[in-house]
Amino acid sequence: MDEYEPRLDEGIEAVFPKMVQWRREFHQFPELSFHEEKTPARVAHFLKGLGMKVREGVGGRGVVAVLDGTKPGKTVALRADMDALPIQDEKSCPYRSRIPGVMHACGHDGHMATLLGLAEVLTGMREAIAGRIVFLFQHAEEVIPGGARQMIEDGALEGVDTVYGVHLWTPLPSGVVGLREGALMAAADSFHIDIIGKGGHGGLPHEAIDAVAAASHLVVNLQMIVSRQLDPLKSGVISVGRIQGGSTFNIIAEHCSLEGTVRTFDPKLRQYIQERIGEVAEQTCLMVGARCDYEYGWGYPPVINDRTEAHRMAEVARSLLGNEQVWGILPVMAGEDFAYYLQQKPGAFCLVGAGNREKGFVYPHHHPQFDFDEQAMKVAAKLLGRSSLAYLSAGCEKESAPSS
């Protein structure tokens, strides 16, 4: 499909101003996970206008559109997420969020604009498509259980042979693509521990059981699981993000609660940490005479790229950007429910650099001043488009090859 690459690239360049406009409109009117209404409606309206077969309400609030090529072949799925985060937008730009306390602080607005632009270009290139391309606009990536699993259960991947996705990523500079075969992003779990002691006077600690003191020891002891009980060659993270207990300065707290997250890549290690947290919590509380209730929330599984499809996407990226701009990166401890698609179908997920210090795009994801270099959307659209055509072309050639 090399002969179609210039046409694809020229189409993306031509539609890019509209991609910027769409992205900024999405940014001004964000919607939280599982509350997407106007966003999917607008996406579906545009895709219908392109003449695609569109299904709305997939898995609850998702949108699936199908573009049939002029020749038979395999099916590629491309995914963009639609939800925003409960963060107050602190930017001063003209397109800052107009919804108080809600913001696109992770690039999902750019993901939607990227896929809409690509859909418009590919619709005008049907003769280049040997098979079909399915566009998945997914709700609720940010909140467990996530929209991916719901859409899969509602048939979003029926007939699909492979699936690709990208994440605009400000830790990487604009113009760079980062990916790897195998584990790219971590399983993202959570835990909640309630410690029950015995309240009492702050000056008479011997008559009480201090839940805050027990919690303090527990925070330290949990870190020992990773630092002293795991194989140093295996990756794991236990982070306590919230600790809450007590009511005033001179009362020993009877209750204290902790919440945190666990990040792993290995399924056996994931299971081990889940069990070990409960054991450490119980033993720590027992040491001071307290007791605890422990709940573990299984979040998204790790994002595991298929070797063949990761290599295909890497080759496409090199042809697009040059060898030096395609980085083999280390795994990232962030989570992504794109993992569910990769559990069902071979495919690849990559990070498209969207940071730019000269333009001031330096803030991390989920930050109140998060923004990204919109030029990255062109790279993302070309990468997804070229990868899709390369896969479909390879499938067509394989099917048409004479048998020996």
Side-chain angles (χ1 to χ4, degrees):
M1 284 295 166
D2 290 348
E3 68 271 23
Y4 290 108
E5 289 178 355
R7 185 175 168 191
L8 174 72
D9 294 352
E10 290 169 4
I12 296 299
E13 294 288 342
V15 80
F16 179 65
K18 288 201 286 187
M19 292 165 61
V20 172
Q21 180 183 349
W22 294 330
R23 180 260 164 161
R24 295 185 178 188
E25 289 176 358
F26 286 134
H27 197 85
Q28 291 179 73
F29 301 100
E31 294 181 302
L32 293 173
S33 307
F34 298 108
H35 296 277
E36 305 92 339
E37 295 181 2
K38 295 180 180 179
T39 301
R42 185 177 179 201
V43 165
H45 177 76
F46 176 79
L47 295 171
K48 289 177 182 177
L50 295 177
M52 291 191 188
K53 294 179 288 187
V54 178
R55 187 157 69 102
E56 300 178 70
V58 181
R61 298 180 184 273
V63 177
V64 175
V66 178
L67 174 61
D68 287 307
T70 57
K71 294 169 281 190
K74 291 184 176 292
T75 299
V76 176
L78 307 175
R79 178 270 214 162
D81 33 20
M82 301 187 291
D83 54 329
L85 287 155
I87 298 174
Q88 179 63 40
D89 194 344
E90 295 181 359
K91 297 191 300 298
S92 59
C93 62
Y95 53 87
R96 66 178 295 181
S97 173
R98 298 187 185 184
I99 310 300
V102 184
M103 175 190 175
H104 273 294
C106 203
H108 296 186
D109 49 344
H111 298 166
M112 288 186 283
T114 293
L115 213 53
L116 289 177
L118 179 59
E120 179 171 318
V121 173
L122 288 175
T123 299
M125 296 177 57
R126 289 179 186 269
E127 76 281 5
I129 301 174
R132 62 174 46 178
I133 299 176
V134 177
F135 296 85
L136 307 175
F137 288 84
Q138 181 206 309
H139 61 296
E141 185 277 329
E142 295 286 0
V143 176
I144 295 170
R149 190 165 63 181
Q150 294 179 333
M151 290 185 66
I152 292 168
E153 291 171 353
D154 199 9
L157 291 182
E158 288 182 5
V160 169
D161 296 296
T162 195
V163 58
Y164 297 128
V166 301
H167 202 307
L168 301 175
W169 197 247
T170 57
L172 294 179
S174 184
V176 164
V177 168
L179 75 166
R180 60 181 287 117
E181 66 175 85
L184 176 70
M185 304 182 81
D189 300 330
S190 63
F191 61 88
H192 182 104
I193 302 171
D194 284 318
I195 297 175
I196 303 96
K198 178 182 178 184
H201 194 286
L204 302 171
H206 59 291
E207 296 181 357
I209 299 174
D210 194 337
V212 168
S216 301
H217 282 286
L218 179 56
V219 170
V220 175
N221 291 343
L222 290 176
Q223 302 311 307
M224 298 291 286
I225 297 176
V226 172
S227 66
R228 287 296 176 267
Q229 298 174 29
L230 300 188
D231 182 342
L233 300 180
K234 294 184 178 180
S235 299
V237 171
I238 301 175
S239 293
V240 176
R242 186 188 72 87
I243 179 169
Q244 184 172 353
S247 57
T248 190
F249 76 102
N250 62 347
I251 298 176
I252 291 176
E254 184 167 348
H255 297 276
C256 190
S257 63
L258 298 85
E259 289 183 326
T261 187
V262 175
R263 306 297 170 110
T264 55
F265 297 104
D266 182 90
K268 292 183 179 179
L269 182 61
R270 189 183 187 193
Q271 181 69 40
Y272 171 80
I273 290 180
Q274 180 266 336
E275 296 172 356
R276 195 73 186 105
I277 288 176
E279 293 167 354
V280 170
E282 182 178 354
Q283 292 299 318
T284 300
C285 291
L286 183 63
M287 178 181 67
V288 298
R291 61 183 179 86
C292 67
D293 294 324
Y294 168 50
E295 295 181 359
Y296 193 87
W298 297 98
Y300 304 152
V303 174
I304 309 294
N305 280 334
D306 176 78
R307 180 183 183 185
T308 298
E309 298 312 322
H311 284 192
R312 190 193 312 276
M313 183 172 271
E315 285 301 310
V316 169
R318 291 187 187 101
S319 70
L320 175 64
L321 301 171
N323 291 341
E324 293 183 357
Q325 299 302 105
V326 181
W327 296 359
I329 59 174
L330 294 173
V332 177
M333 279 296 180
E336 241 289 352
D337 74 346
F338 192 85
Y340 289 120
Y341 299 114
L342 294 177
Q343 285 186 333
Q344 301 295 318
K345 304 291 180 178
F349 190 75
C350 76
L351 306 179
V352 174
N356 191 317
R357 290 192 172 277
E358 293 181 358
K359 296 180 180 180
F361 302 132
V362 297
Y363 292 97
H365 293 253
H366 296 205
H367 189 281
Q369 295 194 50
F370 174 84
D371 206 349
F372 64 85
D373 187 349
E374 291 168 330
Q375 292 292 321
M377 294 191 295
K378 289 196 290 190
V379 175
K382 293 175 183 178
L383 179 59
L384 287 173
R386 286 190 181 199
S387 296
S388 299
L389 294 178
Y391 177 84
L392 294 176
S393 176
C396 182
E397 292 172 359
K398 185 175 181 180
E399 291 181 1
S400 61
S403 58
S404 56

